[in-house]
Amino acid sequence: MLVKYELLKILRKKSTFIVMAVSLILTGFLFRLPVMQYQIYDQDGVIKGADGIAFEKEQYAELSVPLSEEYIAETIREVQRLFEDSDNVGYDGNERFLIGDAYWNKVAPREKLLNLIANTYSDPNEMRGYNNLPDLDIKDGTHFYHKMKGKIQAVLDSPSRALSREQKEYWGSMADKVDTPLQYGYYGGWEIIINSFELLMFALLAVCIVVAPVFSGEYQSGTDAVILSAKYGKTKLTTAKIAASFLFGTAAFILHILVAFVLPLAAFGIDGYDLPVQIANTAIPYPFTFLQAILINIGIIYLVLLAMIGLTLMLSAKMKSPYFVLIILVPVLFIPMFLTPNGTTGAYNLTLFLLPYRAAMPELGKYISYQFGGLVLDALTVRTVLYGVLAVIMFPLARLGFKKHQVA
């Protein structure tokens, strides 16, 4: 009953409705924006929005295939034959490219796939496109998956990454778990989501704004004296406030996730949820499908939310005004937005990747790892452990802070 009362107390505030409404509208707008801005080209010009999405999905109809060595070899040969006809080739002074029907009919519908193949044969930190495929010698076969593993190893051996032997073995072992041949297909909606996770920081801020007055609001209204002098004021009621904040945060998080996911998936469709993330970048070492990667990252962001709710409640129990609480929370959430990592190793970079804003970003292809003696953990694992521990610590500290509050 106390939890229900405290939850209703949060929900009945006009400020709760306003903050949640603004947050949901903002989340909906930000996750809808890629749909509104989407455009693709054909020979007649640009196709925008829903029409462009439908056009691209139609092009992908013939591309839902396993990327076998034979399929890749034939695909490369087709492009090479196109470049052999000089009427198909243009030149801008730097590189050759296909023009006319050769491009629009043979390359444009599968350019993303062709670029994926070409990039697999590139060196680390080098980007290649379909126009580099004629340079490949595939008389003895493509050896595509051998090249894929070789590129990952080259990334791991790069001196700039300064990875230890244990870290290289960790990533190499993980990459070996990727199933091949890769299944290719359309994954537009999931790509939008996986590239937009950091936008959920506004939802986390909204939850923190709502729960900030849970304790400090009692100080402002002067009801802290009544609560703390009551029979269960320092025990059951304090616990009820924390439990209500947890329940509200969870419900708000689920609602924001639904809004964030439904809008792009309604436009782009759910196609590709079971495809491997390597079809976006063959150098990704995680053996995940798009759905698995997204669910794991949702779990991490939820733990970040719980830790932030715990921090908010702890500050609320210590401070006499919710505004002072937010003065601390806003920088914690958003200052990392303006900080750019200069690599994937070193104390600065490894700390930055664990801060709330960066922790919301999957960073699947960056090989971010943390070593503790002989133990190596990837960023997703460390974020899970870190924010899980912080959440467990923060809630009792918030409870203790309110119990020890001295009434003026």
Side-chain angles (χ1 to χ4, degrees):
M1 289 298 294
L2 287 175
V3 174
K4 180 180 178 181
Y5 170 77
E6 290 296 332
L7 183 58
L8 289 174
K9 189 175 177 181
I10 293 173
L11 295 175
R12 286 172 178 170
K13 290 183 178 179
K14 288 184 179 179
S15 59
T16 299
F17 175 79
I18 293 171
V19 170
M20 284 295 103
V22 170
S23 179
L24 286 168
I25 291 171
L26 180 61
T27 298
F29 172 76
L30 292 174
F31 279 84
R32 179 70 180 175
L33 198 57
V35 180
M36 296 186 292
Q37 293 181 333
Y38 184 84
Q39 59 183 34
I40 191 172
Y41 292 86
D42 67 1
Q43 284 178 287
D44 298 321
V46 63
I47 308 175
K48 297 182 178 181
D51 292 336
I53 294 170
F55 177 73
E56 184 183 37
K57 292 180 74 172
E58 183 180 340
Q59 290 182 316
Y60 266 82
E62 298 180 1
L63 295 178
S64 296
V65 296
L67 298 182
S68 64
E69 296 281 1
E70 294 78 12
Y71 179 85
I72 292 169
E74 182 55 34
T75 300
I76 294 173
R77 289 192 192 100
E78 287 178 14
V79 175
Q80 291 177 340
R81 285 194 290 267
L82 290 172
F83 272 95
E84 289 171 0
D85 186 345
S86 59
D87 291 338
N88 295 334
V89 182
Y91 183 68
D92 63 2
N94 293 312
E95 58 185 13
R96 300 162 70 230
F97 51 89
L98 294 173
I99 59 175
D101 290 342
Y103 174 76
W104 291 111
N105 296 334
K106 302 295 185 180
V107 170
R110 52 179 178 169
E111 187 167 0
K112 188 179 288 188
L113 170 59
L114 296 176
N115 290 339
L116 176 77
I117 294 172
N119 269 314
T120 301
Y121 292 89
S122 68
D123 296 327
N125 302 319
E126 177 188 10
M127 295 295 292
R128 290 187 181 181
Y130 75 90
N131 54 341
N132 295 112
L133 293 177
D135 299 329
L136 297 180
D137 183 0
I138 58 171
K139 292 178 182 177
D140 298 325
T142 61
H143 308 292
F144 180 78
Y145 292 103
H146 176 75
K147 291 290 185 181
M148 178 174 154
K149 289 186 177 181
K151 182 172 182 178
I152 290 174
Q153 191 59 51
V155 171
L156 298 177
D157 291 336
S158 174
S160 62
R161 291 188 178 270
L163 296 178
S164 68
R165 177 180 57 82
E166 292 85 1
Q167 288 173 320
K168 293 177 184 179
E169 290 176 353
Y170 177 86
W171 289 115
S173 175
M174 180 182 289
D176 287 340
K177 296 176 183 177
V178 175
D179 290 332
T180 56
L182 301 175
Q183 176 68 36
Y184 196 75
Y186 182 74
Y187 57 96
W190 303 103
E191 183 180 30
I192 294 295
I193 292 171
I194 212 165
N195 290 331
S196 305
F197 268 121
E198 65 272 21
L199 299 177
L200 290 172
M201 281 296 103
F202 295 102
L204 269 63
L205 176 61
V207 172
C208 291
I209 290 173
V210 171
V211 302
V214 166
F215 292 122
S216 58
E218 306 291 0
Y219 306 155
Q220 279 192 324
S221 62
T223 55
D224 55 325
V226 177
I227 292 173
L228 292 172
S229 61
K231 182 178 181 181
Y232 298 114
K234 292 185 177 182
T235 54
K236 293 183 178 180
L237 184 57
T238 303
T239 302
K241 286 180 175 293
I242 293 173
S245 300
F246 165 78
L247 291 173
F248 169 79
T250 300
F253 180 74
I254 293 172
L255 189 57
H256 279 83
I257 288 293
L258 289 175
V259 170
F261 280 29
V262 166
L263 292 175
L265 291 180
F268 290 93
I270 64 171
D271 311 67
Y273 70 91
D274 55 346
L275 298 178
V277 293
Q278 282 71 30
I279 65 172
N281 178 1
T282 53
I284 293 175
Y286 291 96
F288 300 153
T289 63
F290 283 98
L291 182 59
Q292 287 171 337
I294 285 171
L295 290 176
I296 289 169
N297 211 57
I298 288 174
I300 292 172
I301 297 176
Y302 179 62
L303 290 175
V304 173
L305 172 65
L306 293 185
M308 294 308 301
I309 291 175
L311 176 61
T312 302
L313 292 175
M314 185 185 74
L315 294 172
S316 180
K318 294 287 186 181
M319 297 181 173
K320 296 186 179 297
S321 170
Y323 300 107
F324 295 147
V325 176
L326 296 176
I327 287 173
I328 295 175
L329 287 176
V330 172
V332 170
L333 284 172
F334 290 101
I335 282 182
M337 183 186 299
F338 305 100
L339 301 177
T340 304
N342 54 27
T344 56
T345 57
Y348 167 76
N349 292 313
L350 293 178
T351 301
L352 185 58
F353 286 125
L354 294 178
L355 296 179
Y357 178 76
R358 283 281 171 180
M361 303 167 70
E363 313 276 20
L364 295 177
K366 291 191 175 179
Y367 299 85
I368 305 164
S369 52
Y370 298 77
Q371 186 165 356
F372 308 92
L375 177 65
V376 177
L377 300 173
D378 60 90
L380 299 182
T381 301
V382 173
R383 290 167 179 172
T384 300
V385 173
L386 173 64
Y387 285 100
V389 170
L390 287 176
V392 170
I393 292 174
M394 290 295 180
F395 285 111
L397 288 178
R399 187 171 183 271
L400 184 63
F402 187 64
K403 285 174 63 176
K404 291 189 173 181
H405 171 69
Q406 298 295 320
V407 179

